[in-house]
Amino acid sequence: MAGPATQRHQSLDCLSVTNSPRTTKNPSKMKSFIVVALFVAAAVAAPAGPDADAQILRYDSDNIGLDGYNYSVETSNGIKQQEEGQLKNPGTENEALQVRGQFAYTGPDGVVYTITYIADENGFQPQGAHLPVAP
């Protein structure tokens, strides 16, 4: 029968084997693997709807980094979007990006929904016939 000192020595041996570099897993790699696995699962589980085969029919962009930008895009499933932005009050403490645009899409009910918007220092301000209006 082994005494307390021998039992303590045996349990320490188990700890040293359990914590050896060969058996310790890298938590960073494990987290990365889990994240990648979740993305793969989401991609496989995503339903392939009518928009899955949509093609870009037109894409125009003007963004050289000076005096603002603009772009427009149209897809084969009827989505259209255009936007332009300019820097207001450049070089001042009131400098802000002012963006104007609109987008349209066909809803599941067959109705074409159009939203126009402004986004500036006052926030995002959308407007559309189907959107509620504040009193």
Side-chain angles (χ1 to χ4, degrees):
M1 178 165 181
T6 307
Q7 288 175 346
R8 193 174 330 127
H9 180 69
Q10 288 173 345
S11 63
L12 289 176
D13 284 344
C14 290
L15 287 176
S16 66
V17 169
T18 305
N19 291 328
S20 73
R22 289 180 298 170
T23 58
T24 303
K25 300 202 186 274
N26 184 337
S28 177
K29 284 185 181 180
M30 185 63 82
K31 288 178 187 176
S32 296
F33 174 76
I34 291 171
V35 169
V36 169
L38 288 174
F39 278 119
V40 169
V44 170
D51 295 332
D53 296 324
Q55 302 286 319
I56 296 174
L57 302 177
R58 184 178 56 83
Y59 177 76
D60 299 312
S61 177
D62 180 14
N63 183 5
I64 60 170
L66 301 171
D67 297 328
Y69 71 92
N70 63 63
Y71 74 89
S72 61
V73 65
E74 183 176 350
T75 61
S76 61
N77 60 349
I79 295 173
K80 297 178 183 178
Q81 182 173 357
Q82 68 182 64
E83 181 176 289
E84 61 183 40
Q86 284 192 309
L87 191 60
K88 283 178 44 178
N89 306 315
T92 70
E93 78 177 39
N94 295 327
E95 185 177 85
L97 186 62
Q98 182 176 38
V99 176
R100 294 180 181 273
Q102 72 175 34
F103 60 92
Y105 64 95
T106 304
D109 54 2
V111 174
V112 175
Y113 293 94
T114 302
I115 292 96
T116 58
Y117 58 88
I118 297 173
D120 57 17
E121 67 273 9
N122 297 314
F124 181 72
Q125 304 151 50
Q127 294 181 345
H130 63 289
L131 297 177
V133 178

